[in-house]
Amino acid sequence: MSEATVADTRRLNSKPQDLTDAYGPPSNFLEIDVFDPQTIGVGRNRFTTYEVRMKTNLPIFKLKESCVRRRYSDFEWLKNELERDSKIVVPPLPGKALKRQLPFRGDEGIFEESFIEERRSGLEQFINRIAGHPLAQNERCLHMFLQDESIDRNYIPGKVRQ
Amino acid sequence: MSFFSFGQTAEIDIVLNDAETRKKVEHKTEDGKKDKYFLFYDGETVSGKVNVTLKNPGKRLEHQGIKIEFIGQIELYFDRGNHHEFVSLVKDLARPGEMAQSQTFDFEFTHVEKPYESYTGQNVKLRYFLRAIISRRLNDVCKELDIVVHTLSTYPELNSSIKMEVGIEDCLHIEFEYNKSKYHLKDVIVGKIYFLLVRIKIKHMEIDIIKRETTGTGPNVYHENDTIAKYEIMDGAPVRGESIPIRLFLAGYEMTPTMRDINKKFSVRYYLNLVLIDEEERRYFKQQEITLWRKGDIVRKSMSHQAAIASQRFEGSASSEKALSQAKEEDD
């Protein structure tokens, strides 16, 4: 007596992949680097800026390559704008380091090299996580942060259409 | 329990007539342990003997009647006091009187309707049991014997595949397909995911089986979700035009058939959850209900009988007559 029929586990038919799709550049190319920290100014009015360089082939971004300078408070501004306007859970920024800004420290405070490196790395993680989020990608504030020369804090918040 | 040793007590034992031949299956108890119980199907007769053994020889047992019940009931854990009996049969075994010695009573519940499958869940339990009771003035003597009922189905006539295109505008478009919408408990889910547009960085993709137990009605509906299985189907980043196959064997997982609105008290439904995870641990998912059913494995024997009948119809020869009687012998 023959066994009960064996289940049919053959794959479903699918369209063969186009070779240009298979070997072409992926459509999800998005790379943002935060580097080259520069401390500008003297004495108590010093602050550190970082270069934010972006390369992408996502159609939602107007420029495929951009390079701007931003400081920590600019990142804070972006975080606040997104928390208010977008539906995403915004990742945390590296710390504000208020303790480091108090006087009578033995070291350089917020201009200490190791601290700046820690902060740079945290900012890079932060911006990459946000820029890759589909619900953040159409926010005006993100595009302005990444691709406009300077941030206009009096801008009109809104969405970017493709 | 009697504190007075000069009373008479009895022990009850329920034994099924077909205890030797009837199949036993494993069933989870409320505290998670697994026990074996006799397996019954809808319409089967439940018959056996109730042995009443007197503990103190020589003394008589006064009672207000001995009876046996066959009960099918639903118990909601948050409402323990109220058992909802959907099957309740009684057979009187003895009229009120005295028992001088241990006795055995026969009983038979003929062709009992058992409309639902036995189920022990997180918030609800559906069980069938025999209960023999010796009624007495102060306290009854009671014994229960649980059985397990399975509901069987045959291959559904209509079993369309599930095929859908879903996605996020301009970010991710996929087309998923599962070969059926109704699967039996030992079936295989065969499917595929086809990527139409990939603008996010996907790290991997998995398919989960989720069991949802729903109890309560109206404003008191409560869903209990349980992820039964997580099965990775893709590791790495796909690009446009790629097709990822799915082959998920259900026999390895502990599942029940889909139970819809049982006696208007609870439901147990199953969902396939397709989950894509990107490099930032963001999850994109699409849930789809599937129907699970239980296939009988007694089909083989009756099929040989039926196959023999069919061959006789066409050939009408002596050899097929022999096959028919041979098959009949197998069945008996």
Side-chain angles (χ1 to χ4, degrees), chain B residues 118-178:
Chain B
S118 295
Y119 175 74
T120 302
Q122 303 277 71
N123 300 297
V124 61
K125 186 156 74 159
L126 189 155
R127 61 188 267 245
Y128 293 86
F129 57 99
L130 286 160
R131 179 164 59 204
I133 306 175
I134 304 176
S135 303
R136 299 205 297 177
R137 245 170 322 137
L138 286 175
N139 51 353
D140 295 344
V141 182
C142 196
K143 185 79 199 280
E144 286 183 1
L145 176 68
D146 270 67
I147 59 157
V148 163
V149 171
H150 281 175
T151 50
L152 300 179
S153 308
T154 48
Y155 280 99
E157 270 170 35
L158 228 59
N159 200 353
S160 49
S161 65
I162 301 172
K163 190 167 174 167
M164 243 182 250
E165 197 183 300
V166 294
I168 302 172
E169 186 88 31
D170 299 321
C171 265
L172 173 68
H173 286 184
I174 59 167
E175 185 190 78
F176 69 86
E177 185 178 344
Y178 305 127

Side-chain angles (χ1 to χ4, degrees), chain A:
Chain A
M1 186 62 63
S2 65
E3 260 286 284
T5 46
V6 176
D8 185 0
T9 56
R10 288 173 303 173
R11 290 187 184 188
L12 300 180
N13 288 330
S14 51
K15 294 177 267 227
Q17 189 179 25
D18 194 328
L19 287 180
T20 48
D21 284 339
Y23 291 104
S27 1
N28 60 2
F29 179 65
L30 171 68
E31 268 173 25
I32 304 178
D33 292 311
V34 174
F35 64 112
D36 188 28
Q38 300 283 353
T39 304
I40 304 177
V42 285
R44 259 194 246 126
N45 300 321
R46 282 180 298 172
F47 62 93
T48 309
T49 62
Y50 306 82
E51 189 170 310
V52 179
R53 188 184 312 190
M54 173 170 153
K55 288 201 175 98
T56 184
N57 68 356
L58 296 179
I60 193 155
F61 291 107
K62 231 168 29 164
L63 302 174
K64 297 307 154 208
E65 270 188 41
S66 68
C67 190
V68 295
R69 290 235 97 168
R70 296 283 178 251
R71 57 185 289 187
Y72 183 83
S73 54
D74 293 332
F75 283 85
E76 275 186 316
W77 168 87
L78 177 63
K79 181 168 195 278
N80 292 330
E81 293 297 296
L82 288 172
E83 274 173 348
R84 190 193 63 225
D85 288 339
S86 81
K87 295 194 207 75
I88 76 173
V89 174
V90 185
L93 272 175
K96 245 187 110 61
L98 289 168
K99 259 181 24 187
R100 282 185 174 260
Q101 291 179 47
L102 294 172
F104 309 121
R105 282 186 68 99
D107 57 17
E108 294 279 305
I110 57 170
F111 303 106
E112 183 73 31
E113 256 187 58
S114 58
F115 170 74
I116 288 182
E117 174 49 36
E118 230 181 79
R119 185 173 262 199
R120 181 210 68 76
S121 160
L123 292 174
E124 192 173 74
Q125 264 184 26
F126 172 82
I127 192 65
N128 272 292
R129 284 187 77 176
I130 291 182
H133 201 307
L135 293 178
Q137 271 168 7
N138 55 0
E139 292 290 333
R140 264 256 72 216
C141 53
L142 179 69
H143 288 251
M144 191 162 66
F145 180 94
L146 287 171
Q147 305 203 315
D148 286 2
E149 184 70 36
S150 56
I151 295 176
D152 174 14
R153 293 187 184 216
N154 298 319
Y155 83 117
I156 302 162
K159 307 269 188 265
V160 171
R161 303 246 159 254
Q162 273 217 36

Side-chain angles (χ1 to χ4, degrees), chain B residues 3 41 74 90 95 268 270 278 300:
Chain B
F3 294 108
Y41 298 103
I74 297 172
V90 183
R95 282 214 304 267
V268 182
Y270 291 88
D278 73 11
R300 215 171 115 215

